[in-house]
Amino acid sequence: MFGNFIWRLLAEALPATSANPRLNAVFWIYLFFATSALAIYQNHVKCFGTGDCQITAAYQGGGFNDEYHRWLIECSDGEAMIGIFDTYKSFLGIAQVWCYFIFPLKPPAIGIYPFYPVCNVRNFTQYEYYCYDKRFPTDTVDTFTTAIFSPTSADPVQPTLMKCCKTPAPYKLDYNRCQWKYTHDKTGEHYDGFWVVKCDTNFVMTGIGSAMNPWDSQLHFVWIQCCPVLTVSTPPAAQQLYAKPQISYTS
Ligand SMILES: *[C@@H]1O[C@H](CO)[C@@H](O)[C@H](O)[C@H]1NC(C)=O
């Protein structure tokens, strides 16, 4: 009885695609769940045995999931963002990010979020392109990019916020050797290759910059900043345990 009521309600609420009201409801329910799920989640994260994950940023957006405080495009535990690409819209947005497993000595968060305990939000709209902020040096030193966020869904996504987190012990950043990787060549033409804009080995992303393009008067992402990771001390014995498999069930 109640089931029939639901079907009738759906049949009346949804635009008609079939003379059979039940078929019509099935169609719309399918369209709502299947297509939105496919568009957003399928092949969204692709991970490799090397510890790298590439995250597709297409059609992402729509707000923080406050219940879990999750970002929509975010690296996993022990990973840092190291590269971006947009092969077909000249970095008007960011189509994919590359997350690299670079902190193997970090004790794992065993799936519990957040993966990094100390983080800041940077707002591109306020020209906060770098993780480091000289107004808040102690809060922002040794922070790297781990997530980006956009309020609106677009392909490629046009992020407005960046999440920067502190390197876990025993890691720090070497600010004397930071580099900038540009998304365009000397004449201003944007690269359209895959993963051209990527930090060198053992560097992590610490900033993303955008600028108005004089030819199309639109904001393009023009560089990423990359800083090298330093291992500053031998980690304590308890922490070293995490770097290799446990061999006993009792310890
Ligand atoms: C980012 O800055 C813009 C412009 O000042 C502001 O409108 C927006 O609310 C800020 N976003 C966050 C999350 O603070």
Side-chain angles (χ1 to χ4, degrees), residues 64 121 123 125-126 161:
F64 294 101
V121 176
N123 189 337
T125 318
Q126 293 182 7
L161 302 176

PDB file of all heavy atoms in Angstrom, residues 64 121 123 125-126 161, ligand 1:
ATOM      1  N   PHE A  64      31.926  21.993   0.742  1.00  0.00           N
ATOM      2  CA  PHE A  64      32.540  21.065   1.677  1.00  0.00           C
ATOM      3  C   PHE A  64      31.492  20.085   2.159  1.00  0.00           C
ATOM      4  O   PHE A  64      30.357  20.441   2.343  1.00  0.00           O
ATOM      5  CB  PHE A  64      33.067  21.814   2.909  1.00  0.00           C
ATOM      6  CG  PHE A  64      34.177  22.743   2.611  1.00  0.00           C
ATOM      7  CD1 PHE A  64      33.934  24.087   2.492  1.00  0.00           C
ATOM      8  CD2 PHE A  64      35.458  22.266   2.442  1.00  0.00           C
ATOM      9  CE1 PHE A  64      34.970  24.957   2.229  1.00  0.00           C
ATOM     10  CE2 PHE A  64      36.490  23.130   2.182  1.00  0.00           C
ATOM     11  CZ  PHE A  64      36.243  24.479   2.066  1.00  0.00           C
ATOM     12  N   VAL A 121      43.826  26.826   5.253  1.00  0.00           N
ATOM     13  CA  VAL A 121      43.126  27.014   3.977  1.00  0.00           C
ATOM     14  C   VAL A 121      43.658  28.275   3.327  1.00  0.00           C
ATOM     15  O   VAL A 121      43.775  29.314   3.983  1.00  0.00           O
ATOM     16  CB  VAL A 121      41.599  27.127   4.205  1.00  0.00           C
ATOM     17  CG1 VAL A 121      40.888  27.428   2.891  1.00  0.00           C
ATOM     18  CG2 VAL A 121      41.062  25.857   4.828  1.00  0.00           C
ATOM     19  N   ASN A 123      43.123  30.978   0.138  1.00  0.00           N
ATOM     20  CA  ASN A 123      42.023  31.439  -0.706  1.00  0.00           C
ATOM     21  C   ASN A 123      42.595  32.142  -1.945  1.00  0.00           C
ATOM     22  O   ASN A 123      43.106  33.258  -1.850  1.00  0.00           O
ATOM     23  CB  ASN A 123      41.152  32.404   0.133  1.00  0.00           C
ATOM     24  CG  ASN A 123      39.878  32.781  -0.566  1.00  0.00           C
ATOM     25  OD1 ASN A 123      39.800  32.699  -1.795  1.00  0.00           O
ATOM     26  ND2 ASN A 123      38.891  33.218   0.201  1.00  0.00           N
ATOM     27  N   THR A 125      41.134  33.547  -4.320  1.00  0.00           N
ATOM     28  CA  THR A 125      40.426  34.794  -4.617  1.00  0.00           C
ATOM     29  C   THR A 125      41.047  35.970  -3.867  1.00  0.00           C
ATOM     30  O   THR A 125      40.930  37.115  -4.274  1.00  0.00           O
ATOM     31  CB  THR A 125      38.934  34.647  -4.251  1.00  0.00           C
ATOM     32  OG1 THR A 125      38.493  33.360  -4.684  1.00  0.00           O
ATOM     33  CG2 THR A 125      38.098  35.708  -4.931  1.00  0.00           C
ATOM     34  N   GLN A 126      41.712  35.657  -2.761  1.00  0.00           N
ATOM     35  CA  GLN A 126      42.422  36.708  -2.025  1.00  0.00           C
ATOM     36  C   GLN A 126      43.922  36.677  -2.328  1.00  0.00           C
ATOM     37  O   GLN A 126      44.732  37.131  -1.521  1.00  0.00           O
ATOM     38  CB  GLN A 126      42.186  36.537  -0.523  1.00  0.00           C
ATOM     39  CG  GLN A 126      40.743  36.787  -0.145  1.00  0.00           C
ATOM     40  CD  GLN A 126      40.511  36.658   1.345  1.00  0.00           C
ATOM     41  OE1 GLN A 126      41.452  36.511   2.116  1.00  0.00           O
ATOM     42  NE2 GLN A 126      39.262  36.715   1.744  1.00  0.00           N
ATOM     43  N   LEU A 161      40.050  27.449  -3.556  1.00  0.00           N
ATOM     44  CA  LEU A 161      40.703  27.243  -2.266  1.00  0.00           C
ATOM     45  C   LEU A 161      41.711  26.105  -2.365  1.00  0.00           C
ATOM     46  O   LEU A 161      41.556  25.196  -3.179  1.00  0.00           O
ATOM     47  CB  LEU A 161      39.680  26.889  -1.176  1.00  0.00           C
ATOM     48  CG  LEU A 161      38.546  27.871  -0.909  1.00  0.00           C
ATOM     49  CD1 LEU A 161      37.596  27.287   0.119  1.00  0.00           C
ATOM     50  CD2 LEU A 161      39.072  29.216  -0.439  1.00  0.00           C
TER      51      LEU A 161
HETATM   52  C1  LIG B   1      37.669  33.697  -0.317  1.00  0.00           C
HETATM   53  O1  LIG B   1      37.773  35.046  -0.635  1.00  0.00           O
HETATM   54  C2  LIG B   1      36.629  35.588  -1.284  1.00  0.00           C
HETATM   55  C3  LIG B   1      36.954  37.021  -1.694  1.00  0.00           C
HETATM   56  O2  LIG B   1      37.406  37.766  -0.597  1.00  0.00           O
HETATM   57  C4  LIG B   1      35.431  35.491  -0.344  1.00  0.00           C
HETATM   58  O3  LIG B   1      34.278  35.970  -0.990  1.00  0.00           O
HETATM   59  C5  LIG B   1      35.218  34.019   0.050  1.00  0.00           C
HETATM   60  O4  LIG B   1      34.185  33.922   0.992  1.00  0.00           O
HETATM   61  C6  LIG B   1      36.502  33.458   0.638  1.00  0.00           C
HETATM   62  N1  LIG B   1      36.309  32.034   0.893  1.00  0.00           N
HETATM   63  C7  LIG B   1      36.519  31.470   2.088  1.00  0.00           C
HETATM   64  C8  LIG B   1      36.217  30.029   2.216  1.00  0.00           C
HETATM   65  O5  LIG B   1      36.936  32.097   3.041  1.00  0.00           O
END
